[in-house]
Amino acid sequence: MVRKMEWAGKANHLLGLPRKTVITAVGSFAKAVALLLNSTTVHNADTLLNLVRSRPPGVPLITVSNHMSTLDDPVMWGFKGFPTCNAELQRWVLAAEDICFKNTLHTFPQGKVYQEDEPIRRLKWGTASLIARAPVTPIVLPIIHHGFEKVMPEKYMFGRRPLVPLWNKDIKIIVGEPIEFDIAKLKQTAISISRSSSSFSKEGWPPFGPLDEAAQRCLYIDISERIRSVMEKMRVISKKPKA
């Protein structure tokens, strides 16, 4: 069914009207939930807005965040000032042109919803793979948020999510600073570590340039841990009461 609907997301189909209509509708929903039904505050929003609107030409931007509810995306982009309804600048994942990551992509490296207030666990390697394989090393911007677990709790009534978003909740979004990656250096480190370790199982991954399967695993672990460490520090700081 998804494949049959690919045409609806293409920018050149019917002058892009179906795409723009969907993006405007979803963007309006996000802003209604974030700003009208609930109270949303954003720390360091300018860093995100500047990178979305005016980063160097040809440089990709990958935003990564914790995953607190099924409404994180797109509602986390509904805060005041963010171009959620702009077909070129919005970042919610469902607008990807053919569900194949061809549009600007926000990722949830945890891989699933975690509503418990606990340390961020080991991240999935998909985000690390995107970073490592990008022709131009992307800017990676970490984001931590709280409150969406109250807007759309996983176990609200009879162990199920509510049918509609809850309201009068406080949503807090913290935008961090870009994480820099020297991919060439990280690849060399991964090769060195993989050659001195025999603990990696083999599943038949194809080579990635000079990296065999073990080196790729080392690379993805390194990148993922760097992201996880930054996000966890942000999570801890965000939970501290203000002086």
Side-chain angles (χ1 to χ4, degrees), residues 28-87:
S28 299
F29 167 78
K31 288 191 176 294
V33 174
L35 301 176
L36 299 180
L37 298 181
N38 298 284
S39 175
T40 300
T41 58
V42 186
H43 172 74
N44 198 28
D46 286 345
T47 295
L48 171 61
L49 293 173
N50 289 337
L51 288 174
V52 167
R53 291 184 172 133
S54 58
R55 64 185 178 277
V59 178
L61 171 65
I62 294 181
T63 48
V64 296
S65 76
N66 56 327
H67 202 1
M68 297 295 287
S69 81
T70 54
L71 273 186
D72 295 356
D73 205 21
V75 177
M76 66 179 291
W77 309 112
F79 66 85
K80 185 177 180 180
F82 192 85
T84 311
C85 297
N86 187 310

Side-chain angles (χ1 to χ4, degrees), residues 180-201:
E180 296 184 0
F181 292 97
D182 186 338
I183 296 301
K185 184 177 180 180
L186 293 179
K187 286 181 179 179
Q188 290 301 318
T189 301
I191 292 173
S192 299
I193 294 176
S194 66
R195 287 174 178 172
S196 61
S197 175
S198 58
S199 61
F200 294 101
S201 60

